[in-house]
Amino acid sequence: MSLKEILPGRLGFGTAPLGNMFRAIPDDEAAATVEAAWDHGIRYYDTAPFYGAGLAEERLGEVLATKPRDAYVLSTKVGRVILDELETATPDFGEKGGLFEYGNPNKIVHEWTAEATERSIEDSLRRLGVDRLDIVWVHDIAQDFHG
């Protein structure tokens, strides 16, 4: 099956801003943004653990919990694992710098092993509150993050 066959429309909703990208966004504003996307017919939602150290997945999951699971397509990414441990230093995200400095304070580790991939998916399912993902992408393997 191709992506064209499973994506329900030409537009999708990227959730990086829900992870407090560049600024702190109140929870009610984040929820209202997802609701507005839904109300305008958006049915493909793309998120990632990296977006605010899990914050975007949590916020998206809260809204999507009120929608029928078969009514939308959901994707997330692997390549980073969010730890319970809090970050004590400034994270090094290469050229992306302070992209999510207002997100959750959890430590993020870059790891693409089979075990980390499985853990990342399990953690994303928990944060999103869903039993399945439709698409899983590998996130940020480009030079702007890793040289």
Side-chain angles (χ1 to χ4, degrees):
M1 184 175 291
S2 71
L3 282 179
K4 187 176 181 180
E5 292 171 306
I6 59 174
L7 293 181
R10 293 179 181 261
L11 291 177
F13 183 87
T15 65
L18 299 182
N20 285 348
M21 186 172 150
F22 300 119
R23 70 179 181 97
I25 298 170
D27 289 337
D28 61 338
E29 182 179 327
T33 302
V34 177
E35 287 288 356
W38 183 273
D39 291 345
H40 283 86
I42 301 296
R43 295 297 182 269
Y44 170 48
Y45 298 88
D46 179 65
T47 191
F50 179 56
Y51 302 159
L55 182 60
E57 288 182 324
E58 293 165 0
R59 287 174 160 175
L60 178 63
E62 287 176 16
V63 175
L64 291 182
T66 67
K67 313 299 182 199
R69 180 59 187 93
D70 289 337
Y72 61 89
V73 173
L74 180 60
S75 66
T76 193
K77 301 171 185 79
V78 297
R80 294 189 177 89
V81 175
I82 310 305
L83 304 178
D84 292 332
E85 176 184 347
L86 299 183
E87 184 63 70
T88 57
T90 302
D92 180 13
F93 296 133
E95 293 177 13
K96 304 297 183 187
L99 199 59
F100 294 104
E101 67 182 284
Y102 302 103
N104 288 336
N106 300 70
K107 189 172 195 174
I108 301 171
V109 291
H110 301 253
E111 191 172 343
W112 291 270
T113 65
E115 294 82 16
T117 298
E118 289 176 13
R119 178 176 176 187
S120 182
I121 290 170
E122 289 169 8
D123 290 349
S124 288
L125 289 168
R126 179 184 45 77
R127 282 189 294 269
L128 288 161
V130 296
D131 62 352
R132 73 179 191 277
L133 300 164
D134 300 297
I135 303 168
V136 176
W137 305 104
V138 177
H139 204 194
D140 292 329
I141 55 175
Q143 289 180 345
D144 62 339
F145 269 92
H146 306 288

